[in-house]
Amino acid sequence: MFKTKSLLLILLAGLLSGVLYFVLGLINEPAGPIIQWDAQLGKYIELTKPSKVALNGTFEYDGINNCIVFQKVLATKFEVYVNGVLTASFGDGSGNLWPRALGVRIPGVLLHADKANKITVVLHGLVGVGLYGKPYLASYEDAIQRISLINVFRDKITLVGIGATGLIIYLLLIAYQSANGQEKKAYHYLIAASAFMILSLVQFTYRESSGAPELYLLFEEFSTTGPVFALTFLFFTVLTISTGDVSLNKKFKHILEAIPIVLISIAIFSTSVKYVHIVSTVSELYSLSLMFVILYFIFKHRIIEFYFPVIFLCLTGIQTFYALVSNQTNELTIHYGRFVFLVFTGTTIIRRFRELSISHEKLKRENLIDPLTGVYNRKVIDLIPKGGTFVLLDLDGFKALNDRYGHIYGDSVLKKFAEIVKSQVRSQDYFIRLGGDEFCLIFKSVKEDDVLKIVNRLYNDCRNLLGIGFSYGYAPFDTFDKAYEEADKKMYEQKMRKYAQNDKRIFS
């Protein structure tokens, strides 16, 4: 059964990543005449200083398709010239046009129907630039539909991921407040991972202008190193769940914590952009390695609920790493893997520790329940707030009955007595066995004037159903000792009155 479920989860992760890759490729497939470029597209061009790159191409105008669809642009500013005329401009050089699809509608007066039209795109960048996919011509209506579809799958889904991650953080903070020990440590790690996951996803959202190149670079650096922080804390989360965080040497753990700090420090405080590229490459390799380490641990400790999200994350990571290294034009899928992993992991941990909390609560309740009668034992008294009416109950003649018929019969009488009383007591009130045949009631939902009516009704039920009654005393419930002393005194006086009336069964 375990192997079958594991295999199904592995296949599901592989199937979903394959379907995702196919769908993203399908929506990016040109749906019209492709522009012919002088240079090969799809390559990421690293920049060592703020600069621009121009790409030239030609296309034929058929009289219908006058809108150009750019599937993905990586630049801080993007300009489009058609037949030498500036037709469109996006960004101001300080923002991030990645990963939004862009459309440019060309005025008909600029287009030639009888000869090739020339197009030049200028990509401005601070760290790097790239024109991905195969830009093509389409009608205005078709271009709007396709651009909207691409942006839903690429841009909007990232915003959904950020929102879902934020919700996970909120739920984890709530759970963190009531957690303790190992649970609190796991929540702590996952909250940190979630925060860095959001930072790393921000760069995947469309920001035409950020206001300053320095802020853009800061986002770029967090986008590069954020996944390393996130995966490091996710690794600690998995360790905490599987081994209680005791299998990792403290010195080695400190090294793991220091690696992302060193990487981001190099990126932030470096004086040359080339170090950002070096940090980016190292971070990608390290993140991929860390993903496989996490995968190893979940398989080793058979954390089956993590199989799907971790495998899905690894597959999207491999695809993204290959696309970046080989300069492919394919869509990157790692941001899907990141937030799917985090959402699944977060909800799983919350559910896992909620089950543990329920289990702990159950054990706690069982520790407060008398095993014979099923009512509370005296341990619960310390947990009951002040207020209400305390009633002390003691069965009449129980000792004699127990001696005559045996303990088994006596136990059955106690059980029946408890059932009779429980049927008359509300959930807000407490029915407690103090020991032997001595019980008490602490009324929270009943006015003091009505307490005696309930007790007398219980007395009559016990006489009719069990053949024996009980003596009782009552007092305001302030502290247990004080209430018990006063109620015990009244109960003793009641027993004396019964004895004086020759009801000798009480003492026989």
Side-chain angles (χ1 to χ4, degrees):
M1 181 65 182
F2 176 81
K3 289 184 178 179
T4 302
K5 189 174 181 179
S6 301
L7 182 60
L8 288 174
L9 290 172
I10 294 170
L11 291 175
L12 179 62
L15 178 64
L16 183 60
S17 60
V19 170
L20 176 64
Y21 183 73
F22 173 77
V23 171
L24 292 175
L26 193 64
I27 65 174
N28 281 284
E29 190 68 25
I34 299 173
I35 297 175
Q36 303 301 315
W37 299 90
D38 296 340
Q40 185 179 358
L41 299 182
K43 288 188 176 181
Y44 174 69
I45 303 171
E46 292 185 355
L47 303 175
T48 57
K49 61 181 180 178
S51 56
K52 59 184 179 181
V53 174
L55 298 173
N56 299 302
T58 59
F59 64 91
E60 302 291 335
Y61 177 53
D62 58 5
I64 299 174
N65 298 310
N66 66 336
C67 193
I68 304 176
V69 176
F70 295 94
Q71 294 99 322
K72 189 192 300 183
V73 177
L74 173 58
T76 59
K77 185 178 180 180
F78 181 57
E79 298 169 317
V80 180
Y81 294 84
V82 176
N83 293 323
V85 179
L86 179 62
T87 306
S89 178
F90 302 89
D92 64 358
S94 65
N96 174 36
L97 297 177
W98 168 283
R100 191 87 173 266
L102 301 174
V104 176
R105 192 175 186 179
I106 308 169
V109 295
L110 296 179
L111 295 169
H112 305 305
D114 56 347
K115 62 178 181 179
N117 294 273
K118 295 181 179 180
I119 180 173
T120 298
V121 296
V122 181
L123 303 165
H124 299 254
L126 299 177
V127 178
V129 294
L131 187 61
Y132 295 82
K134 297 177 181 179
Y136 63 93
L137 295 162
S139 66
Y140 177 73
E141 292 76 14
D142 291 343
I144 292 298
Q145 290 179 4
R146 180 57 66 92
I147 289 170
S148 298
L149 185 62
I150 293 173
N151 289 336
V152 165
F153 273 87
R154 188 190 299 146
D155 184 46
K156 298 298 187 292
I157 199 70
T158 303
L159 293 176
V160 171
I162 292 174
T165 305
L167 178 60
I168 288 294
I169 292 178
Y170 174 72
L171 294 174
L172 288 171
L173 285 171
I174 294 175
Y176 182 82
Q177 300 301 318
S178 58
N180 52 57
Q182 181 183 344
E183 301 173 20
K184 182 159 285 191
K185 190 177 291 185
Y187 287 136
H188 169 79
Y189 289 143
L190 197 57
I191 289 169
S194 303
F196 282 107
M197 191 68 74
I198 288 179
L199 287 174
S200 67
L201 287 173
V202 167
Q203 188 70 347
F204 276 87
T205 61
Y206 178 78
R207 292 180 293 105
E208 187 168 338
S209 174
S210 64
E214 293 79 13
L215 186 58
Y216 170 83
L217 286 173
L218 188 62
F219 278 120
E220 183 73 23
E221 289 152 358
F222 270 113
S223 174
T224 299
T225 57
V228 181
F229 280 97
L231 287 169
T232 299
F233 285 112
L234 285 171
F235 176 47
F236 293 158
T237 303
V238 171
L239 277 180
T240 303
I241 294 171
S242 59
T243 65
D245 201 27
V246 296
S247 65
L248 197 64
N249 181 275
K250 283 189 176 181
K251 186 176 180 180
F252 184 56
K253 183 179 176 182
H254 292 325
I255 293 174
L256 290 178
E257 292 172 333
I259 289 174
I261 296 174
V262 171
L263 288 173
I264 196 170
S265 298
I266 293 173
I268 291 177
F269 298 108
S270 60
T271 57
S272 175
V273 175
K274 71 176 183 179
Y275 290 108
V276 176
H277 297 305
I278 294 172
V279 168
S280 177
T281 303
V282 173
S283 296
E284 288 165 5
L285 287 169
Y286 182 74
S287 296
L288 193 63
S289 302
L290 204 51
M291 280 191 288
F292 283 107
V293 172
I294 293 172
L295 188 64
Y296 166 77
F297 269 88
I298 68 162
F299 276 114
K300 178 182 178 182
H301 297 281
R302 294 190 173 186
I303 312 176
I304 192 168
E305 59 266 35
F306 283 7
Y307 281 14
F308 169 75
V310 172
I311 294 171
F312 183 72
L313 177 66
C314 287
L315 291 174
T316 57
I318 292 170
Q319 183 275 328
T320 299
F321 182 76
Y322 174 75
L324 292 174
V325 170
S326 59
N327 272 324
Q328 298 292 313
T329 62
N330 305 85
E331 191 75 36
L332 304 183
T333 58
I334 185 60
H335 54 297
Y336 293 91
R338 287 176 187 170
F339 71 74
V340 166
F341 176 71
L342 191 63
V343 169
F344 267 82
T345 303
T347 52
T348 297
I349 289 178
I350 290 172
R351 185 178 69 251
R352 188 184 185 96
F353 284 126
R354 181 175 176 273
E355 291 171 353
L356 284 175
S357 297
I358 292 173
S359 178
H360 292 161
E361 184 64 26
K362 184 178 179 182
L363 289 172
K364 182 179 177 181
R365 286 182 58 191
E366 288 177 350
N367 194 38
L368 298 174
I369 298 298
D370 175 58
L372 176 63
T373 60
V375 304
Y376 287 114
N377 60 35
R378 63 187 308 135
K379 292 179 182 178
V380 79
I381 292 171
D382 294 333
L383 305 176
I384 301 174
K386 297 178 181 179
T389 305
F390 177 88
V391 180
L392 185 62
L393 307 174
D394 188 271
L395 292 178
D396 294 337
F398 180 76
K399 183 177 182 305
L401 184 147
N402 206 34
D403 292 341
R404 183 178 302 172
Y405 298 106
H407 291 289
I408 295 177
Y409 180 79
D411 288 347
S412 68
V413 171
L414 292 175
K415 289 179 183 178
K416 291 177 182 178
F417 171 72
E419 291 172 2
I420 293 170
V421 177
K422 283 192 292 184
S423 67
Q424 301 286 344
V425 175
R426 299 178 183 178
S427 59
Q428 303 96 312
D429 304 323
Y430 297 86
F431 180 37
I432 306 165
R433 185 186 181 193
L434 299 176
D437 62 324
E438 189 176 56
F439 295 80
C440 74
L441 282 162
I442 300 177
F443 288 99
K444 295 289 187 179
S445 65
V446 181
K447 294 180 181 179
E448 187 176 348
D449 296 340
D450 295 326
V451 167
L452 293 181
K453 295 179 183 178
I454 296 174
V455 174
N456 288 328
R457 186 165 63 244
L458 287 173
Y459 181 84
N460 292 330
D461 288 346
C462 288
R463 291 289 295 181
N464 294 331
L465 298 174
L466 291 178
I468 62 172
F470 56 79
S471 298
Y472 66 90
Y474 61 94
F477 183 67
D478 185 13
T479 65
F480 174 75
D481 292 339
K482 183 178 178 181
Y484 182 89
E485 183 180 358
E486 185 177 342
D488 185 59
K489 182 179 179 180
K490 291 181 180 179
M491 185 180 71
Y492 182 76
E493 291 173 353
Q494 189 179 89
K495 283 186 178 288
M496 291 299 100
R497 287 196 298 271
K498 288 182 179 181
Y499 182 78
Q501 295 171 3
N502 296 320
D503 194 353
K504 297 182 180 179
R505 288 172 298 174
I506 297 174
F507 298 98
S508 59

